[in-house]
Amino acid sequence: SAQRSLLACGSLDTRIERGRLYSRVVRKNVEYGRCLQKYLGLSEFGPKHAATSTSPTDLLLQAAKNFSLSSTCGDAKQNKLCGREKEQERIANFLRGAISSTEGESSLFVAGPPGTGKTASVSAVIAQLQRERARGDLKDFEFVSVNGMEMRHPTDAYVKLWDAISEEKRPPNVAAKLLEQYFGDKKALTEITKDKVVMYSESLRKKRRLIVLLVDELDYLVTKKQEVLYNIFDWPTRKSRSMVVIGISNTINLAENILLQKVQSRLGGARVIFRAYNTDQVLMILQNRLSYISDKLIFRKDALKFAAMKSAALNGDIRKAFQICKGAAESVLDEIKADGRKSLTPVVTVQDIRNSIKRMQESPHLKAVSTCTSFEALILISLASLRRQNGTGSSSLMNLMQKMKGIASVSGDEKYFPLPSFGETVDLLNRMFESRLVTIDTPKINSTQSIFAGNTMGMIWPLLTVNLDDQEIHNSLKSSPHFEICTKHLPILN
């Protein structure tokens, strides 16, 4: 029974897809993957999304499933990610050049707000280049992905990278030395231990392939001395040119404002910046999602356009559009099951989209915002304003208090004075944390994100994140006495 508990669970299709994603054999040999696809009757880009049934209930159920965030990986298997063709073309051109030649830039910095398709675009390009490699149109390379958010400490990136190269797990300090020797110009690889020096065979170098390394959530690998980032971007500059690096960050000005000069010099100047989705791009993505299911009408055109307009106004985060459409489809599905939908061909209408947005706005924590105190409103507006200003979700307590002072001074309204003290602000934040309105995170000293928290002279301020988007704050405070400063510092484009 103990052994059974360790067996893979879930449907057969899910287990097959998971195996295709994580198998070392399939990852390193595309031909194996193509043979598996042919044997299983899969399309080149993965399992078909089309629904097998054309009944209204099944179509709506499939629509809700396709609008869930867990289904976004399907887009990355296509040749083009809808709405990001130009960005993907620039990434693909950079990688083709870096793989084919040892001249030119060896690192690419990709940045933009959350939910704008950065990781999905890179994944789509990598899938495309892997197909070109399988056809013999591109030199051989191995793709390795590292996510900073998944690391307990930034140095764990060494462990992940060395494991991908040698299929051996080593402690971070040992892995760092091995990687230095591997990417260096020495003829032999050595592992230095306390007792002896172990020589690695020359075969490891002879079978070495160019590595394309994706470092997602780059922000989380920032440390005080930034040694991890320096090494990652320095290794591709060696004479052997054995690695190409793509770094992804939610902070657009990370390179210029956060990274040390030595890291900037290794990062180079190649940039691809993702801007927030506009209405037309969101609409195109939503239509593309529905095209996977059926040619039959599931959402009215005006309903999709209305959802696109609303989500584009919410910082252009495509995830918000999926949430709205998913809620609308589920609502219509519930009405059909309750025999409340009399139409023979039920489809999602503008009113269904409105109701979905209304339900999102009527959640308990949003109702709590509508009756918040002056200082609680000031905190929410200040954190949301900082999010717009910095291009990242988190802000330090020091920056929050400075922003609160600035907004209160501009308003001149006596209800925001006197400003709360440091201790009073902390108490307010703790209460708001308990209500899940904000998230409080204290970084480790000299570790992940301590720079973002304002690590100066050994002091680290807590990182604060507001858990509401601008539109939710706007709507919640609409009937409150704090709506004036909200519209001034968080203007919403209709």
Side-chain angles (χ1 to χ4, degrees):
S1 60
Q3 187 176 5
R4 284 179 185 169
S5 66
L6 298 177
L7 293 176
C9 58
S11 66
L12 178 60
D13 289 342
T14 301
R15 280 180 279 161
I16 291 173
E17 184 63 15
R18 190 162 58 241
R20 293 171 61 220
L21 286 172
Y22 295 105
S23 168
R24 288 185 185 275
V25 176
V26 175
R27 187 181 66 193
K28 292 189 176 183
N29 192 319
V30 175
E31 286 303 319
Y32 289 156
R34 295 172 72 89
C35 290
L36 178 63
Q37 289 173 342
K38 185 176 180 180
Y39 175 76
L40 296 172
L42 302 174
S43 69
E44 185 178 4
F45 308 132
K48 293 287 186 181
H49 290 268
T52 56
S53 173
T54 57
S55 71
T57 301
D58 290 337
L59 291 177
L60 286 167
L61 189 63
Q62 188 63 36
K65 181 179 178 181
N66 276 24
F67 283 128
S68 65
L69 295 180
S70 60
S71 68
T72 56
C73 61
D75 286 348
K77 298 175 184 175
Q78 303 180 74
N79 281 319
K80 296 292 184 183
L81 188 70
C82 194
R84 291 302 185 197
E85 291 82 4
K86 292 182 179 179
E87 290 85 353
Q88 286 184 87
E89 184 178 1
R90 292 179 60 190
I91 295 171
N93 289 339
F94 169 84
L95 286 176
R96 287 194 189 98
I99 292 171
S100 303
S101 173
T102 57
E103 303 295 330
E105 298 278 2
S106 58
S107 298
L108 175 67
F109 180 64
V110 178
T116 52
K118 302 183 295 297
T119 303
S121 293
V122 173
S123 298
V125 170
I126 292 296
Q128 177 185 347
L129 297 183
Q130 286 174 333
R131 291 190 287 272
E132 293 179 12
R133 177 192 64 184
R135 295 194 301 265
D137 298 334
L138 193 65
K139 287 174 59 177
D140 195 17
F141 69 91
E142 179 178 356
F143 176 63
V144 179
S145 178
V146 173
N147 190 310
M149 187 180 292
E150 297 173 356
M151 302 293 161
R152 292 174 300 176
H153 189 276
T155 54
D156 287 345
Y158 297 142
V159 179
K160 180 76 179 288
L161 181 55
W162 180 250
D163 181 37
I165 293 172
S166 65
E167 299 186 7
E168 292 181 334
K169 289 189 180 294
R170 298 290 179 176
N173 59 332
V174 175
K177 293 176 182 177
L178 290 169
L179 289 167
E180 176 62 32
Q181 293 163 349
Y182 183 83
F183 291 115
D185 302 319
K186 296 181 180 180
K187 294 183 179 180
L189 292 172
T190 62
E191 177 186 355
I192 302 175
T193 65
K194 293 181 179 179
D195 302 323
K196 59 183 179 179
V197 175
V198 181
M199 301 296 294
Y200 276 83
S201 68
E202 194 67 23
S203 62
L204 189 58
R205 276 183 173 277
K206 288 181 179 179
K207 71 177 184 179
R208 176 170 62 186
R209 296 189 293 176
L210 177 71
I211 292 175
V212 176
L213 175 64
L214 169 62
V215 185
D216 203 355
E217 302 291 352
L218 196 67
D219 318 53
Y220 286 84
L221 298 184
V222 175
T223 60
K224 184 176 181 181
K225 295 183 179 179
Q226 300 184 11
E227 291 179 352
V228 174
L229 288 179
Y230 176 81
N231 288 332
I232 287 176
F233 291 113
D234 178 58
W235 287 327
T237 65
R238 305 293 177 86
K239 291 181 181 179
S240 59
R241 183 66 175 274
S242 304
M243 185 165 68
V244 176
V245 178
I246 305 173
I248 300 181
S249 170
N250 290 333
T251 309
I252 295 177
N253 58 0
L254 175 76
E256 292 74 20
N257 290 2
I258 301 297
L259 298 185
L260 300 176
Q261 187 62 43
K262 66 176 184 178
V263 182
Q264 292 184 38
S265 67
R266 294 298 184 268
L267 178 60
R271 304 279 192 275
V272 176
I273 304 300
F274 282 66
R275 303 298 177 185
Y277 285 111
N278 58 38
T279 300
D280 291 338
Q281 289 173 323
V282 174
L283 180 59
M284 190 187 306
I285 293 170
L286 296 179
Q287 291 172 337
N288 193 51
R289 280 300 174 94
L290 292 176
S291 70
Y292 293 160
I293 306 171
S294 170
D295 294 333
K296 290 191 175 183
L297 184 65
I298 305 173
F299 279 66
R300 292 194 184 278
K301 291 182 180 180
D302 56 350
L304 275 185
K305 187 172 183 179
F306 184 70
M309 291 173 58
K310 286 297 183 180
S311 57
L314 301 175
N315 302 325
D317 190 335
I318 191 62
R319 296 169 298 188
K320 188 64 66 175
F322 292 161
Q323 187 179 357
I324 292 172
C325 292
K326 181 175 182 289
E330 290 174 340
S331 175
V332 174
L333 190 61
D334 290 340
E335 289 184 23
I336 293 175
K337 291 179 179 179
D339 294 328
R341 202 84 168 194
K342 300 302 182 181
S343 172
L344 296 177
T345 56
V347 295
V348 177
T349 65
V350 171
Q351 188 57 46
D352 295 319
I353 297 293
R354 290 184 188 275
N355 292 340
S356 178
I357 296 173
K358 185 177 180 181
R359 284 192 297 272
M360 290 167 56
Q361 295 171 349
E362 290 180 348
S363 59
H365 66 286
L366 291 181
K367 289 183 178 180
V369 174
S370 64
T371 57
C372 66
T373 66
S374 300
F375 294 140
E376 289 170 341
L378 188 58
I379 288 174
L380 289 174
I381 295 169
S382 298
L383 284 175
S385 179
L386 285 168
R387 178 173 58 194
R388 282 191 179 188
Q389 177 182 324
N390 300 333
T392 184
S394 301
S395 303
S396 71
L397 178 55
M398 176 180 64
N399 290 338
L400 169 64
M401 296 187 71
Q402 290 174 347
K403 175 61 75 171
M404 290 171 63
K405 182 178 180 181
I407 292 178
S409 299
V410 170
S411 72
D413 195 322
E414 61 180 12
K415 63 174 167 283
Y416 303 114
F417 292 98
L419 287 166
S421 65
F422 178 88
E424 291 170 338
T425 304
V426 170
D427 289 339
L428 286 167
L429 287 168
N430 284 331
R431 289 203 297 270
M432 296 172 74
F433 172 75
E434 292 173 356
S435 301
R436 299 183 180 180
L437 296 177
V438 300
T439 299
I440 302 175
D441 178 33
T442 304
K444 298 177 182 178
I445 297 177
N446 298 337
S447 184
T448 306
Q449 284 197 307
S450 62
I451 302 297
F452 293 96
N455 186 1
T456 57
M457 296 185 295
M459 178 177 291
I460 299 180
W461 300 80
L463 280 172
L464 309 169
T465 307
V466 59
N467 296 331
L468 308 174
D469 60 47
D470 294 356
Q471 186 72 60
E472 288 173 332
I473 296 174
H474 212 265
N475 292 339
S476 299
L477 296 178
K478 198 167 186 178
S479 302
S480 76
H482 316 297
F483 189 59
E484 183 177 349
I485 64 168
C486 181
T487 53
K488 183 176 182 64
H489 297 278
L490 293 178
I492 300 294
L493 299 177
N494 296 322

